[in-house]
Structures are given as C-alpha cells and as structure tokens.
Amino acid sequence: MTTELIHLTQWARQQPQAQYNALMGLLSHPEGLMDSFEAQPDNKAAGIDKVSKAEYAQGVEERIKALSAGLRSLNYRPQPVRRVYIPKGNGKQRPLGTPCFEDRIVQHRLSGILQAIWEPEFRNCSYGFRPYRNAHQALARLGEIVTNHNTQ
C-alpha cells in the first residue's frame, strides 16, 4: 500500500463519518497507477485489446501519463470485456470476463483506494471479499468456534 493510501486509511479511522469527495485525484495519481501496473501479474490473459504486460511495458511512462490525464479529464472509458466460456464438469459452461490491461490497472488502483477507506470499518470476523481472506479461512474459523464452544 502506498503512503498516500496509508494516510487515507488513518484519516478514515479518525473520522468514520467523513465524506469522500476527491478520490479522482488519488485514482489518477501517476505514481499510484505505476504501482498498480507493477502489481499486475505477467501471465494474465490479454483482454479485447490483445495487450500483455510486456507489450504495455514498452513506453509505460508515457502510457501511464496518458492514462492519468484521461482519468483527470474524465475522458477515460473502459473497453468492453472479452468473454470466454469455460466448460464445466456437468456439461454447462461458465462465462469468464477478461478486461483489457489498462482497465486492470485502473481497477487495481480503485480497489486499493476503496480498501483503504473501508478496511477499518470491517470487523476481524468478516471474511467476505477482503484481501488475504477467503471462504476456506472462514470455514476453518467456524469449525474452531463450533468445536471449542462449550454447550451448557
């Protein structure tokens, strides 16, 4: 997490009823977008634009500056998501959406901002859709509670 997001988290903890009205500045910050670029895995499938991380890395500084400018001016528009159908064991198919690489960068950045705001609000026992937590951990914790709980 970047320093600015740490400051946002601390501010959110101090003022739980605060309103957030300047998040586009955080979203369009070039250094944050570069951090989100670097956080992307190398082996993800390309979206509808057919651009991989290696291809996007060529001239990444200019691309990030253009993306930042597009976000600031509200001209940025996400591209359509590439839809692929994965066969399931029961003969049906499961849809899978693959966003383009630039959209992944923006999504990752926005996710970090929203996590910085909302993470202080969650209780430790909450597992749904939180970073580094999953359903298996929730079930394991539930098993501990059920097993160790004295019924009287």
Side-chain angles (χ1 to χ4, degrees), residues 43-60:
N43 60 351
K44 288 282 189 170
I48 202 165
D49 61 351
K50 306 279 192 246
V51 175
S52 67
K53 183 176 182 179
E55 292 168 351
Y56 196 87
Q58 297 171 0
V60 69

Side-chain angles (χ1 to χ4, degrees), residues 11 14 22 48 67 69 93 95 98 100 124:
W11 183 76
Q14 293 170 356
I48 202 165
L67 177 59
Q93 292 184 334
T98 307
C100 73
N124 197 32

